[in-house]
Amino acid sequence: SNDSFLTGWFLHLFEFPVNMFYEFAPVSILALLLLSKEVRHRTFEQPYFKYVILLFGVNIIIYWLSADMRSRYLFMLVPLLSIVLIKAYAVSELLNNKIYRIVKWILFYGTLLVAVSLMIYPIWNETREMAYVWPISIALMCIALGLWIASYCNQRLILISLFGALLIARIGFNLFNLPARMNSYPDESYRSGEIEAARLSLGHPLYILNDTPFNHDASFYITRERFGILKRIQVLAEPDAFYLANQKNLHIFAENSTKYRVVYSFKIKLDETRLFLITKQ
């Protein structure tokens, strides 16, 4: 209803800044530095930084007012914000004001937290059985701790050390989180069915029949397994072809007086649609 839409939209206006701050931490933490009037004045006294923040502002307002907004839509705007916030950090470092000291210690202990968090992989149920999880996790943690110690010895390295630790954490994420997600993600059942359908039809033409519902995920996995583009056709093709059809489109075989055999049945994510891998008898 219109009332529920308007309510959701007004809530979004208040939630958007909070979500953005959360999604783009720790860069967004630097925005606290702009609470200082002196920092704002020195940061924006150069026209370049005024232009950058204006460019960011006129773009962000579009997403702020949009009811259907995803964090990934803002990735291209983060570098613009980072330019201004890193400048504010450099200004604050010279001033050494109270807000800077608070932000500096948040970043400092944030680096330590990132380093220690890398040891989650050897004890997490989803990753503890993975090959070399202990030595890789320890090695990554040691590198991140080395960056933290460097920032302790030279506080001017605090921001660089944090970004370096986050890069190390991302390597760990790629090595362990992504494979774990692939194995335990709810879509695994859909993916395995799509892959099996592709393998069963190898060596034969494969088509989506008529207006059978189909989604991008299914198209990707079947295309990847078959090394060929999946096409949609309206009529039956060559005798040895395989077809992907839902219950509704099975009538095409009857209309052509063609007997068929269901080779395999599986579901795709799109509305939990059940598809049939079919070939002529």
Side-chain angles (χ1 to χ4, degrees):
S1 67
N2 290 334
D3 290 342
S4 60
F5 172 79
L6 288 175
T7 301
W9 183 69
F10 278 115
L11 285 174
H12 165 76
L13 294 181
F14 293 100
E15 292 173 352
F16 179 84
V18 177
N19 290 337
M20 186 177 173
F21 188 90
Y22 165 76
E23 293 285 352
F24 298 110
V27 172
S28 56
I29 293 173
L30 300 181
L32 298 174
L33 299 169
L34 295 176
L35 294 174
S36 167
K37 183 178 179 180
E38 181 68 16
V39 171
R40 292 198 305 272
H41 173 73
R42 294 199 184 189
T43 299
F44 296 118
E45 65 182 356
Q46 297 181 29
Y48 171 74
F49 293 100
K50 289 181 180 178
Y51 169 76
V52 171
I53 200 64
L54 177 63
L55 189 61
F56 172 81
V58 297
N59 279 278
I60 200 69
I61 194 68
I62 298 171
Y63 300 96
W64 196 339
L65 297 177
S66 174
D68 185 20
M69 201 287 299
R70 313 293 171 85
S71 298
R72 61 178 179 269
Y73 299 165
L74 302 176
F75 286 168
M76 72 287 192
L77 299 180
V78 174
L80 293 174
L81 184 61
S82 299
I83 290 171
V84 173
L85 295 183
I86 290 175
K87 171 63 176 178
Y89 184 84
V91 170
S92 300
E93 188 176 34
L94 293 175
L95 296 175
N96 196 28
N97 56 20
K98 183 177 180 180
I99 297 177
Y100 166 73
R101 292 193 293 272
I102 293 172
V103 169
K104 180 180 68 174
W105 288 112
I106 291 174
L107 301 179
F108 177 73
Y109 287 109
T111 304
L112 177 62
L113 181 62
V114 170
V116 173
S117 70
L118 288 163
M119 288 307 298
I120 190 65
Y121 298 120
I123 60 176
W124 184 28
N125 289 339
E126 302 293 338
T127 56
R128 64 184 182 184
E129 301 298 330
M130 290 185 179
Y132 307 111
V133 63
W134 273 102
I136 292 175
S137 298
I138 292 173
L140 293 176
M141 184 187 67
C142 288
I143 296 172
L145 283 175
L147 292 170
W148 177 70
I149 293 171
S151 69
Y152 177 80
C153 297
N154 184 352
Q155 294 187 6
R156 300 198 65 183
L157 297 177
I158 284 177
L159 188 59
I160 295 175
S161 295
L162 176 59
F163 288 156
L166 289 172
L167 178 60
I168 299 301
R170 181 66 208 195
I171 293 174
F173 184 92
N174 292 348
L175 291 174
F176 301 115
N177 287 68
L178 292 183
R181 181 181 296 179
M182 287 290 290
N183 294 332
S184 61
Y185 200 61
D187 291 355
E188 167 61 22
S189 59
Y190 303 120
R191 182 170 61 246
S192 60
E194 293 151 5
I195 291 173
E196 181 64 17
R199 290 175 177 171
L200 289 171
S201 62
L202 284 175
H204 302 272
L206 177 64
Y207 304 103
I208 305 171
L209 189 58
N210 200 23
D211 62 351
T212 295
F214 219 67
N215 61 330
H216 295 302
D217 291 358
S219 180
F220 168 77
Y221 288 113
I222 291 176
T223 298
R224 187 189 68 176
E225 294 299 315
R226 290 176 51 83
F227 294 98
I229 300 299
L230 195 57
K231 298 179 180 179
R232 187 184 293 272
I233 61 172
Q234 309 303 319
V235 296
L236 301 182
E238 50 265 58
D240 65 334
F242 279 68
Y243 306 89
L244 293 169
N246 62 343
Q247 186 71 40
K248 171 188 169 184
N249 283 286
L250 295 181
H251 70 87
I252 294 177
F253 292 92
E255 291 174 356
N256 288 270
S257 301
T258 302
K259 292 183 179 181
Y260 63 88
R261 177 171 61 93
V262 176
V263 178
Y264 185 62
S265 173
F266 63 102
K267 285 185 178 181
I268 60 173
K269 189 175 183 180
L270 181 63
D271 298 326
E272 288 279 315
T273 303
R274 178 164 293 280
L275 297 185
F276 303 96
L277 178 66
I278 298 170
T279 186
K280 296 177 185 177
Q281 278 190 339

